[in-house]
Amino acid sequence: MDKNTVTIEFEALAENQSFARAAAAAYAAALDPTMEELTEIKTAVSEAVSNAIIHGYQRKGAGKIVMELKTLDGDKIFIRISDFGKGIADIRQAMEPMFSTEADQEMSGMGFTVMESFVDKVFVESEEGKGTAVTLIKYLDIYHGL
């Protein structure tokens, strides 16, 4: 594991979603990713932070989100986004495409599916009443096709 670790804590507010995206992109930039890889990282982070705000804290804006970034083996980015909200009762069900806890079906239920399509690994840990941690791992093509 590489030594560069960054941990950022911010309020669970919608306006901080773009901050989290930018911070993850700035961290990843040191590894010289392609523009496509940067976009994929930003999209996955955006979905994870959005889930924390909407589902973890039920859009109340009262709570913290912690984002931890690490470089693994020189070519992988590890991103863990944690909240301390209500948690997920059934992780397997929550990760099913189209599943949503929103009664009015305002949400598409595709957050985890989007994350899985843009990064190489997604791990979810959660405990009801204590919060959720989503770990995203993205493998970078450090050779850019050479």
Side-chain angles (χ1 to χ4, degrees):
M1 186 170 318
D2 296 312
K3 295 180 181 180
N4 188 22
T5 300
V6 174
T7 303
I8 303 168
E9 180 179 297
F10 51 93
E11 296 294 326
L13 301 171
E15 56 263 39
N16 286 333
Q17 186 174 359
S18 61
F19 168 76
R21 288 169 54 97
Y27 180 88
L31 297 173
D32 193 29
T34 65
M35 289 304 292
E36 182 179 355
E37 289 169 333
L38 268 181
T39 299
E40 291 169 347
I41 290 165
K42 289 169 31 177
T43 301
V45 165
S46 186
E47 288 294 330
V49 171
S50 178
N51 275 359
I53 293 167
I54 293 168
H55 302 292
Y57 293 115
Q58 300 164 315
R59 301 181 191 173
K60 294 177 183 168
K64 302 278 185 198
I65 295 174
V66 176
M67 183 168 68
E68 179 185 1
L69 302 116
K70 296 179 188 178
T71 304
L72 305 174
D73 304 324
D75 66 347
K76 297 173 198 69
I77 296 180
F78 167 103
I79 304 167
R80 177 174 286 143
I81 297 167
S82 303
D83 69 62
F84 308 93
K86 73 176 201 168
I88 300 171
D90 185 339
I91 294 171
R92 183 173 290 147
Q93 182 182 38
M95 293 183 78
E96 286 294 320
M98 306 307 292
F99 175 79
S100 179
T101 58
E102 296 290 305
D104 61 7
Q105 292 300 310
E106 174 186 329
M107 308 309 296
S108 69
M110 295 297 289
F112 286 119
T113 303
V114 169
M115 287 179 238
E116 290 174 324
S117 68
F118 287 115
V119 298
D120 296 286
K121 295 185 180 182
V122 177
F123 302 100
V124 181
E125 302 167 81
S126 190
E127 188 173 338
E128 285 188 279
K130 294 191 176 183
T132 301
V134 175
T135 301
L136 310 168
I137 299 177
K138 176 72 176 169
Y139 299 176
L140 301 177
D141 178 10
I142 60 172
Y143 301 106
H144 303 301
L146 297 177

